[in-house]
């Protein structure tokens, strides 16, 4: 199954999508393309949903530090998901 109309290198999503929960989104993406890196952002004090987000390659707590976020995403894209 094709996930996107165009080729993408990385998916960045938020846990709370305006009333919708994206906790299952990383699992769905990995079922369709296990090599596509998935970054999940959250403002949750506790990453209690980390168990359900186990397929995310990177979990970022908000507020984001843009320098650290950019560095982490650059590492993922240049060295692979497991960098």
């Amino acid at each position: 199954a094709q996930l996107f109309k165009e080729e993408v290198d990385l998916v960045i999503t938020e846990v709370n999508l305006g009333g919708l929960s994206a906790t299952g989104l990383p699992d769905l993406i990995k079922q369709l393309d296990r090599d596509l890196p998935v970054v999940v952002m959250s403002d949750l004090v506790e990453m209690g949903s980390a168990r359900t987000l186990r397929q995310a390659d990177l979990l970022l707590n908000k507020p984001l530090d843009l320098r650290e976020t950019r560095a982490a995403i650059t590492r993922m894209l240049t060295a692979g998901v497991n960098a």
Side-chain angles (χ1 to χ4, degrees), residues 2-3 7 17 24 35 61 65 68 76 79-80:
Q2 186 175 349
L3 188 57
E7 186 175 330
L17 300 172
D35 296 324
N61 284 317
D65 179 305
E68 290 177 15
M76 289 175 70

Side-chain angles (χ1 to χ4, degrees), residues 49-62:
S49 17
R51 214 177 2 232
T52 48
L53 295 170
R54 67 187 175 279
Q55 290 295 329
D57 297 297
L58 180 62
L59 299 173
L60 298 173
N61 284 317
K62 295 191 315 185

Side-chain angles (χ1 to χ4, degrees), residues 6-72:
E6 297 180 23
E7 186 175 330
V8 296
D9 297 319
L10 174 76
V11 174
I12 301 174
T13 188
E14 163 70 54
V15 170
N16 185 355
L17 300 172
L20 299 173
S21 174
T23 56
L25 186 58
D27 288 335
L28 176 63
I29 291 169
K30 292 299 183 173
Q31 287 175 17
L32 298 172
D33 185 347
R34 64 185 163 114
D35 296 324
L36 183 61
V38 179
V39 177
V40 177
M41 300 179 295
S42 175
D43 60 357
L44 300 174
V45 175
E46 288 184 81
M47 288 301 287
S49 17
R51 214 177 2 232
T52 48
L53 295 170
R54 67 187 175 279
Q55 290 295 329
D57 297 297
L58 180 62
L59 299 173
L60 298 173
N61 284 317
K62 295 191 315 185
L64 299 177
D65 179 305
L66 292 180
R67 236 184 319 241
E68 290 177 15
T69 302
R70 184 181 304 123

